Amino acid sequence: MISQRSGTLGILELDEGLSECTPVAPHEGSLLNPETFGLPILPEIVEGAFAERVIRGDPSLEAACVTAARRLVERGASVIVGDCGFLIRHQDAISAAVDVPVITSSLLLIPTLLRQLASGKKLAVLTADTRHLGEEVLNVQNVRDRERLVIGGIEGGIYMRNTVARPLVRTDLDQIEHEVGECIGQLRGQHPEIAMLLFECTGFPVVSKALRRKTGLPIYDITDLCALTLNAVLGRNPDLDP
């Protein structure tokens, strides 16, 4: 049974190597910006969860993820979300360890999104690094569903280079929009059946609004899954209710 708690979003934050005095101003739409949901957020660093280790799937991080999730619950989190879509590898372990909803990745939406589309249409999944978005991460068992997934990534760009740097290097919004938009354009050229986009990377929601306008396609990201889950837990829509 899900515990009833005040509306607080707990974030399993990556260990980015930033000092406490490093100024951080999350952009509009960022998972780490309280204004995105109109609710308090509780970040909790997962010790040793450097971006490169999380992306490639270091199994030794699972215990640290569980420890951080438990700390978030103790601090009052009503929902726990991962600050990297590749944390989905630890979804089962984390959700078994706490009594609040756990959403480690927007990839959890794949089955639902495919069923929103006509059978001849495709869902494109945009990731920071396709080299590590394998079948074990996608976890799509149905062969027909898998055939309707198109995977694209920006692993060769500036954003990815900055993301795996220690300490983290922030990437300009224009650069993120350029790299993700260019990837989308290439995928649509190769697969005109694409009718919807899903952003795996938690760094992409800051450009979701702009790319919805440019592409004319529905785009889902981790913030959409957060809003849905918070609404279910709190009985209110953070975007609409006072």
Side-chain angles (χ1 to χ4, degrees):
M1 182 177 178
I2 296 171
S3 298
Q4 297 300 312
R5 302 173 186 269
S6 59
T8 306
L9 181 65
I11 301 176
L12 295 170
E13 190 173 1
L14 299 193
D15 193 343
E16 297 175 334
L18 298 174
S19 67
E20 292 183 1
C21 62
T22 302
V24 177
H27 293 293
E28 178 186 353
S30 169
L31 186 65
L32 292 166
N33 188 335
E35 297 304 315
T36 299
F37 306 103
L39 294 170
I41 61 170
L42 287 175
E44 182 75 40
I45 292 177
V46 179
E47 186 175 356
F50 307 120
E52 187 272 334
R53 292 182 68 192
V54 175
I55 291 171
R56 66 177 167 83
D58 187 337
S60 68
L61 290 174
E62 188 153 283
C65 289
V66 168
T67 297
R70 286 173 172 161
R71 285 200 298 265
L72 284 171
V73 172
E74 291 171 359
R75 294 172 63 194
S78 47
V79 174
I80 292 176
V81 61
D83 189 27
C84 176
F86 285 98
L87 286 173
I88 195 172
R89 295 184 177 97
H90 311 298
Q91 171 74 32
D92 292 345
I94 299 169
S95 59
V98 297
D99 65 347
V100 300
V102 175
I103 44 178
T104 54
S105 176
S106 63
L107 297 175
L108 295 169
L109 286 170
I110 287 177
T112 298
L113 299 187
L114 284 172
R115 277 151 187 78
Q116 290 185 18
L117 300 175
S119 59
K121 299 296 183 180
K122 293 184 177 181
L123 170 67
V125 179
L126 275 291
T127 177
D129 194 335
T130 58
R131 296 169 298 183
H132 299 287
L133 195 71
E135 300 306 315
E136 81 286 355
V137 177
L138 292 171
N139 194 27
V140 178
Q141 306 298 324
N142 185 288
V143 175
R144 290 185 179 179
D145 283 350
R146 182 62 185 87
E147 291 173 348
R148 296 171 62 210
L149 283 182
V150 177
I151 312 299
I154 59 169
E155 54 268 22
I158 294 173
Y159 175 82
M160 187 60 182
R161 185 173 73 235
N162 289 346
T163 296
V164 299
R166 278 193 271 169
L168 173 78
V169 177
R170 303 292 182 186
T171 305
D172 291 340
L173 279 179
D174 289 346
Q175 182 65 32
I176 300 174
E177 183 178 334
H178 169 72
E179 292 186 19
V180 178
E182 189 173 71
C183 181
I184 292 171
Q186 292 173 353
L187 291 179
R188 296 181 78 182
Q190 297 165 2
H191 303 275
E193 310 93 337
I194 290 174
M196 185 179 291
L197 304 169
L198 174 65
F199 288 169
E200 168 275 322
C201 181
T202 56
F204 293 174
V206 294
V207 297
S208 291
K209 184 183 295 184
L211 290 174
R212 285 187 187 105
R213 290 195 301 266
K214 287 187 176 181
T215 64
L217 294 178
I219 297 178
Y220 286 85
D221 60 45
I222 188 62
T223 65
D224 297 304
L225 184 52
C226 285
L228 174 66
T229 309
L230 288 166
N231 185 33
V233 171
L234 305 178
R236 59 182 282 268
N237 187 326
D239 293 326
L240 299 178
D241 294 344

